């Protein structure tokens, strides 16, 4: 089902034709970024670091397919699997996008306070940005054929679901958000995660 949230129009247009259905919405510390039905990312709110106003311009044939928002940065994933990020880049959360090899592309993304997390078409999790709690560098190693299928990013931690239905989390653990994953009784499995 299509998420039909009516977006505020940054230009202040009150006409019904200015309202667009949102395909996805993400919230940062002081800004909101939304994906429109025609593949654009529209953002509003606090723009101190350009997290709203510096949305990259795409080629006419390209469109955004996913959006995420960190505290002061916005991340978009194009339909071709290209990861773009803009806004605050103090820790490399926008500029340190890893290069992928062969035909591997990014398929999902998430943003924490000061880090960005991406899932590749090979089921690998790649993270960039602030790593003060290991939220980027402590990604668990999986044994084949298990791979990651979903990702999420919190303030200082990262979480992911695997093909076997396990949820793994790493990084800041002051409240047990990484170490206290509930046990499920088979055949129930985790399928999505949010942080």
């Amino acid at each position: 089902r299509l998420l039909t949230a009516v977006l505020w129009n940054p230009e202040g247009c009150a006409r019904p034709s200015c309202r667009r259905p949102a395909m996805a919405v993400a919230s940062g510390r002081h800004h909101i970024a939304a994906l429109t039905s025609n593949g654009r990312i529209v953002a509003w709110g606090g723009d101190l670091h350009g997290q709203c106003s510096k949305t990259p311009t795409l080629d006419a044939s390209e469109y955004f397919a996913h959006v995420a928002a960190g505290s002061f940065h916005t991340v978009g994933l194009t339909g071709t699997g290209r990861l773009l990020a803009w806004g605050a880049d103090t820790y490399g959360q926008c500029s340190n996008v890893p290069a992928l090899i062969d035909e591997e592309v990014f398929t999902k993304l998430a943003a924490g306070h000061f880090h960005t997390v991406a899932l590749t078409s090979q089921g690998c999790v790649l993270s960039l940005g602030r790593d003060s709690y290991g939220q980027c560098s402590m990604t668990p190693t999986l044994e084949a054929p298990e791979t990651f299928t979903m990702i999420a990013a919190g303030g200082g931690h990262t979480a992911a679901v695997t093909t076997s239905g396990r949820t793994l989390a790493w990084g800041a653990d002051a409240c047990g958000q990484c170490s206290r994953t509930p046990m499920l009784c088979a055949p129930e499995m985790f399928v999505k995660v949010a942080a």
Side-chain angles (χ1 to χ4, degrees):
R1 292 171 51 177
L2 175 66
L3 169 67
T4 53
V6 176
L7 300 180
W8 170 80
N9 183 348
E11 291 80 32
C13 177
R15 296 186 316 267
S17 62
C18 292
R19 296 180 179 177
R20 301 175 294 276
M23 302 299 287
V25 66
S27 181
R29 189 167 190 177
H30 299 293
H31 76 290
I32 295 172
L35 179 66
T36 71
S37 58
N38 51 350
R40 290 188 321 119
I41 291 178
V42 178
W44 60 96
D47 193 34
L48 181 64
H49 302 282
Q51 63 266 41
C52 297
S53 61
K54 293 186 178 177
T55 305
T57 302
L58 301 178
D59 295 335
S61 62
E62 205 169 20
Y63 61 92
F64 285 108
H66 297 281
V67 64
S71 284
F72 303 104
H73 71 289
T74 303
V75 188
L77 181 65
T78 70
T80 59
R82 207 162 52 107
L83 180 70
L84 300 169
W86 56 98
D89 193 33
T90 309
Y91 302 99
Q93 64 266 38
C94 295
S95 61
N96 290 340
V97 178
L100 300 178
I101 56 172
D102 298 325
E103 295 183 18
E104 191 172 18
V105 296
F106 295 107
T107 59
K108 291 182 175 63
L109 56 85
H113 283 310
F114 301 106
H115 74 293
T116 300
V117 183
L119 182 68
T120 73
S121 53
Q122 300 294 318
C124 297
V125 172
L126 301 174
S127 304
L128 50 140
R130 188 173 186 178
D131 192 35
S132 49
Y133 304 104
Q135 65 266 42
C136 294
S137 61
M138 294 177 56
T139 306
T141 302
L142 303 179
E143 291 188 28
E146 188 176 34
T147 61
F148 293 106
T149 60
M150 295 295 292
I151 53 172
H157 63 284
T158 303
V161 175
T162 71
T163 50
S164 64
R166 295 190 303 146
T167 292
L168 303 172
W170 55 97
D173 193 34
C175 298
Q177 64 267 43
C178 295
S179 60
R180 295 184 187 156
T181 305
M183 299 297 291
L184 301 179
C185 295
E188 188 178 25
M189 299 186 313
F190 291 104
V191 292
K192 290 189 177 184
V193 65

